[in-house]
Amino acid sequence: MTLKNTRQKSVSWYRKPSFSWPIGIVLFVLAAFWSVVQHGFFNMDDLPLITRNRLLLQHDITDLQAIFSYQLWTPYYKPLVYLTWMIERDLFGITASLLHFDNVLLHACNAVLVFFLIARLIPRIWPTETQSRYLIAGFSAVIWAFHPFRVESVAWAVERKDVLFALFYLLACHAWISHCTNKKEWKWLLMATFCFGLSCISKSMGITFPAVAFLIDYFLRRSPRIVLWDKIPLLLVMLIMLYLYGYGFTQGSEATGIDPIRSAQAVTGFFSGLPSFIQHALIASFRLCLFIAHTLVPLKSAIVYPREVFLKTIGWGIYVLPMIVILLITFGLNKNRRRSPFTFALAWFIITISPILSGEGVGTNFMSDRYTYLPSIALILALVIGITRLSARFMNTERGTALSNLITNPAIIVLSAVSITGLWATRHQIRVWRTNLSLWQQAIDNYQGNWYALYNRAKLISGEDPQHAIADLNQALKRMNGLTALYFARGTILMQQGKTQEAIIDFDRVLAQESDHAEARVNRGNSYRALGRLQEAITDYTVALHVRPRFWKAFNNRGLTYMDLGQFDKAALDFTVAITGDPTYPHPFLNRGNLRLRPEVGEFSGAIEDFTAYLNLLPQSHEALLRRGYARLHIGQGAEALRDMNEAIRLHASEGFYYIGRAQVHEALGNRDAAQRDLQKARSLGVRTSE
């Protein structure tokens, strides 16, 4: 009788499940992205959607009606994102560091979910890779997490929607696999449906999950008899979300509230005469090929990619791209490859990125790194499996043992090199995201003629370097001649420089194309007022108010023009309307206070109230302090007037007229020596005074 050897062959730690995998992935991701926490807000979308968003400023987290109706009937419907921001606001306040930290944390969680998703799929879909599944899953998750395109989704506070929708999308995938592999465990179907819904209300790209569920069913070889009816809950959620997005049902007013410059049509040139559906198919094929190629070879990244530059570069080659896409799909559907990693990756990528391809791809929506956040998972998985299979052939070993030797295996060396390269590229891209200027500079350096980047850099530097800003806008206009937003931006800078005649020419160009451009009306009115053409200025302000009746800036500026004309009653009425309409808009308070301070009006108590309201909004305004001091002096509040004058001089000690004002207060209080000292100080600062 012989005894069987019951000793089990030891299994290496990296070839079995353990907590070291998720812990290691989380630590790697946190270490790689930690410096993002020190970044500020980005000037493209962070300000209007977060720091100045009326929903976050005016509503409480309990106001569910406001939250779930904001941007309703548009593809931008994402109430769950706003809920997370509200929670952060109520607990810690809206700070860039907090929002970035939470994005990094969500990205780390997503990397762990990617690891477990691949580890669960491999033994069921590609059993030949089972022995190395944890290494394949680990490398795939790390390479995906360290891909430089992940930086845009993590370092951009407003892209909370990317990391949040992907979190619930991946959870839905896990729940669906559990539903498919556990008979009678219908709780997983409910969990998948619930996570699918949460993904959809985080970002509209989540709508593709039912198609991914079909894809997983196909690779798991589920019976066709059961793969249809258990999709009913998913399809119901999909129909509800399509309704809430406004597709094919209704469209709310907010759906059209898109910045026209960001959706500006580029000149399509050689195929502009084709039917729109053919143009759409060509652009969609072009974008799909670009997304795949750019994901696999992530060179020359940019916050925005110039559609017209890409179209000009490819030229007539755009007609070949649909055939390339068809060949790729045909290759994947070949009977010998129908369930290969290549087919899975191609199908996953096309399905998950299809909502983007279905759009027109204009302006900044042509191609963005963030769109590959979820689709790139399967591409990277196919790449890792391909490298391991090539290594197995090179070493003449079985596929399952392709990663058995951690030190000398070519696959391990190549995948490690790819991971390290990705980490280096990610760290570089994180440094680019440190400032607004460096982001736009990268887009301009990598793509000459990137008009949208030039436009944004011009707005960013217009205060410090207006000449350079105008040069940027001139260059952008060479690429997008006739685009009204560029003329408006250049006209605004010229107006601020005092070049009013040139500014009026640009505003005329804007209004020739968009007669209802209220901002251009107001700025042209400002230019007319600077030239003394007051009636023309009032006409422009009035037309702007017909277009936008709640345009408080137009009321304020028309009030100033009425003051110039001596029509004080009309001026006071316009200032009052602006103040009533928006009590947080400070300028009408200051202007109405100045009006009341005039000797012809003499409403000094009302002027004090207006200056006080203005100072409540802008406490460091030395001008308002000085003028409130004058108003208080007129009604005999000498001590209070002196305090205002002292504070105004403390804030702006280089202005000689302020010392004259304080000298008048000292004179009224009988402090003649102090008054003489102030007059002497005013003269030393270049102000002529009477002896």
Side-chain angles (χ1 to χ4, degrees):
M1 182 177 179
T2 60
L3 296 174
K4 294 182 179 180
N5 186 2
T6 59
R7 295 180 60 188
Q8 298 289 329
K9 186 178 180 179
S10 62
V11 179
S12 302
W13 66 268
Y14 54 83
R15 296 175 62 184
K16 62 183 179 181
S18 68
F19 286 111
S20 57
W21 283 109
I23 293 173
I25 290 171
V26 168
L27 292 177
F28 277 133
V29 172
L30 291 178
F33 286 88
W34 186 255
S35 58
V36 168
V37 177
Q38 303 171 6
H39 293 186
F41 286 118
F42 182 43
N43 72 333
M44 190 160 92
D45 281 338
D46 285 348
L47 301 184
L49 294 179
I50 300 177
T51 60
R52 300 173 187 166
N53 189 293
R54 63 176 178 83
L55 183 65
L56 298 178
L57 293 174
Q58 301 175 10
H59 295 276
D60 188 74
I61 195 171
T62 59
D63 193 353
L64 297 180
Q65 181 179 359
I67 296 170
F68 283 91
S69 61
Y70 187 72
Q71 294 181 317
L72 189 59
W73 320 127
T74 77
Y76 312 104
Y77 185 60
K78 47 182 182 293
L80 191 59
V81 174
Y82 289 107
L83 274 173
T84 64
W85 287 338
M86 283 184 166
I87 292 172
E88 291 162 328
R89 177 202 65 190
D90 291 344
L91 292 178
F92 307 103
I94 291 291
T95 63
S97 296
L98 175 66
L99 269 60
H100 288 141
F101 172 76
D102 289 343
N103 280 7
V104 172
L105 201 59
L106 287 168
H107 181 56
C109 293
N110 289 337
V112 173
L113 289 174
V114 168
F115 167 77
F116 283 117
L117 178 64
I118 295 172
R120 294 182 70 185
L121 286 175
I122 285 177
R124 294 176 173 87
I125 298 179
W126 308 292
T128 55
E129 317 292 342
T130 298
Q131 293 186 48
S132 302
R133 63 169 169 161
Y134 291 109
L135 274 173
I136 291 173
F139 272 115
S140 298
V142 169
I143 292 172
W144 174 81
F146 287 171
H147 196 288
F149 285 6
R150 302 295 85 81
V151 176
E152 183 171 318
S153 297
V154 178
W156 196 353
V158 80
E159 286 308 312
R160 168 67 55 81
K161 56 182 180 284
D162 272 344
V163 290
L164 194 62
F165 109 88
L167 175 74
F168 293 111
Y169 201 105
L170 293 168
L171 288 173
C173 289
H174 279 283
W176 189 258
I177 294 172
S178 297
H179 164 66
C180 296
T181 55
N182 292 282
K183 296 179 180 179
K184 299 181 181 179
E185 289 290 341
W186 304 114
K187 64 182 181 182
W188 294 113
L189 174 60
L190 297 177
M191 181 62 70
T193 305
F194 179 67
C195 291
F196 168 45
L198 293 179
S199 180
C200 288
I201 61 174
S202 300
K203 188 175 183 178
S204 57
M205 286 184 74
I207 201 73
T208 61
F209 178 73
V212 166
F214 276 110
L215 178 67
I216 293 173
D217 285 348
Y218 173 75
F219 274 83
L220 293 179
R221 294 174 170 82
R222 294 187 73 202
S223 170
R225 293 177 299 175
I226 62 173
V227 298
L228 292 177
W229 75 266
D230 63 359
K231 302 297 186 303
I232 293 176
L234 300 180
L235 295 176
L236 287 174
V237 171
M238 184 179 72
L239 289 174
I240 292 171
M241 293 311 305
L242 286 173
Y243 173 73
L244 296 178
Y245 295 150
Y247 289 116
F249 298 94
T250 183
Q251 185 124 340
S253 59
E254 289 189 73
T256 58
I258 303 171
D259 183 358
I261 193 170
R262 297 184 59 185
S263 58
Q265 292 282 357
V267 178
T268 51
F270 52 86
F271 64 90
S272 58
L274 295 175
S276 59
F277 74 93
I278 295 179
Q279 291 189 44
H280 185 85
L282 291 172
I283 292 293
S285 300
F286 187 25
R287 296 172 75 199
L288 176 63
C289 293
L290 274 177
F291 276 123
I292 293 175
H294 211 201
T295 299
L296 296 176
V297 187
L299 300 176
K300 298 184 72 174
S301 182
I303 181 62
V304 288
Y305 295 90
R307 176 181 188 262
E308 63 285 350
V309 171
F310 279 102
L311 290 175
K312 183 178 179 180
T313 302
I314 194 172
W316 293 95
I318 196 169
Y319 293 105
V320 180
L321 295 179
M323 291 183 283
I324 294 176
V325 174
I326 293 172
L327 287 175
L328 285 173
I329 295 174
T330 303
F331 181 78
L333 294 177
N334 183 282
K335 66 178 182 179
N336 295 324
R337 298 180 180 86
R338 287 179 184 172
R339 289 185 169 86
S340 67
F342 170 82
T343 304
F344 181 81
L346 183 63
W348 173 286
F349 193 91
I350 292 176
I351 289 170
T352 53
I353 209 166
S354 59
I356 301 303
L357 300 180
S358 64
E360 294 181 355
V362 295
T364 62
N365 294 320
F366 175 66
M367 192 173 80
S368 292
D369 298 347
R370 61 186 180 275
Y371 294 148
T372 66
Y373 188 82
L374 191 72
S376 61
I377 293 172
L379 279 185
I380 291 172
L381 170 61
L383 177 67
V384 172
I385 291 179
I387 292 173
T388 60
R389 289 183 177 180
L390 285 175
S391 175
R393 286 188 180 183
F394 177 78
M395 299 183 67
N396 197 24
T397 61
E398 296 181 4
R399 288 180 182 175
T401 59
L403 299 178
S404 58
N405 191 322
L406 282 176
I407 306 300
T408 61
N409 191 281
I412 296 294
I413 297 173
V414 172
L415 293 174
S416 298
V418 172
S419 302
I420 294 171
T421 303
L423 176 60
W424 175 84
T426 294
R427 295 294 299 171
H428 169 75
Q429 193 63 12
I430 288 173
R431 287 193 293 271
V432 171
W433 272 85
R434 187 173 298 167
T435 67
N436 290 294
L437 187 59
S438 60
L439 263 174
W440 298 121
Q441 188 64 52
Q442 182 194 54
I444 294 168
D445 292 342
N446 286 342
Y447 298 96
Q448 297 300 317
N450 193 330
W451 63 269
Y452 190 70
L454 289 164
Y455 165 74
N456 276 279
R457 186 174 71 176
K459 292 197 300 182
L460 196 64
I461 65 175
S462 61
E464 299 178 358
D465 193 355
Q467 294 301 328
H468 193 182
I470 290 175
D472 278 349
L473 291 170
N474 290 339
Q475 188 177 351
L477 280 164
K478 291 179 182 178
R479 176 69 63 180
M480 298 294 288
N481 186 32
L483 192 60
T484 56
L486 298 178
Y487 286 122
F488 175 76
R490 189 174 67 180
T492 302
I493 297 173
L494 290 169
M495 179 188 69
Q496 292 168 348
Q497 285 190 287
K499 299 178 180 180
T500 50
Q501 293 287 6
E502 296 175 58
I504 289 171
I505 294 172
D506 274 342
F507 296 136
D508 286 343
R509 288 169 173 161
V510 175
L511 293 169
Q513 298 183 52
E514 300 179 34
S515 59
D516 60 348
H517 197 302
E519 290 84 354
R521 288 277 179 190
V522 168
N523 281 1
R524 191 175 69 173
N526 295 342
S527 301
Y528 283 147
R529 179 171 175 254
L531 292 172
R533 297 160 63 177
L534 303 182
Q535 289 297 340
E536 291 171 278
I538 287 176
T539 299
D540 267 344
Y541 297 139
T542 304
V543 173
L545 287 169
H546 283 304
V547 175
R548 282 176 54 185
R550 297 170 63 84
F551 198 177
W552 313 122
K553 181 180 178 181
F555 278 110
N556 177 71
N557 291 8
R558 191 174 68 176
L560 287 171
T561 311
Y562 280 135
M563 278 182 65
D564 295 339
L565 289 168
Q567 300 178 18
F568 300 140
D569 290 341
K570 290 183 178 180
L573 179 61
D574 274 351
F575 294 142
T576 301
V577 171
I579 288 169
T580 305
D582 184 5
T584 64
Y585 180 32
H587 301 301
F589 287 108
L590 180 66
N591 294 328
R592 192 175 67 177
N594 289 335
L595 174 64
R596 289 172 166 176
L597 188 59
R598 294 176 72 100
E600 303 96 318
V601 180
E603 297 178 5
F604 302 116
S605 296
I608 292 171
E609 293 176 0
D610 281 340
F611 293 134
T612 301
Y614 183 83
L615 287 164
N616 288 336
L617 296 171
L618 298 174
Q620 300 299 307
S621 173
H622 48 82
E623 180 185 1
L625 285 164
L626 177 77
R627 294 184 178 277
R628 189 174 68 178
Y630 274 121
R632 284 175 165 170
L633 180 62
H634 276 88
I635 63 173
Q637 296 179 359
E640 292 83 353
L642 183 59
R643 283 200 298 269
D644 280 345
M645 295 293 185
N646 288 338
E647 183 64 12
I649 290 173
R650 187 188 68 81
L651 293 171
H652 196 56
S654 60
E655 179 55 68
F657 287 106
Y658 285 20
Y659 293 94
I660 292 178
R662 192 169 67 177
Q664 293 175 4
V665 176
H666 280 307
E667 188 71 28
L669 293 173
N671 303 326
R672 294 187 176 181
D673 291 341
Q676 288 299 317
R677 286 194 297 270
D678 276 342
L679 290 173
Q680 185 177 357
K681 178 66 175 179
R683 286 192 290 269
S684 70
L685 292 172
V687 179
R688 297 181 64 181
T689 63
S690 58
E691 294 296 335

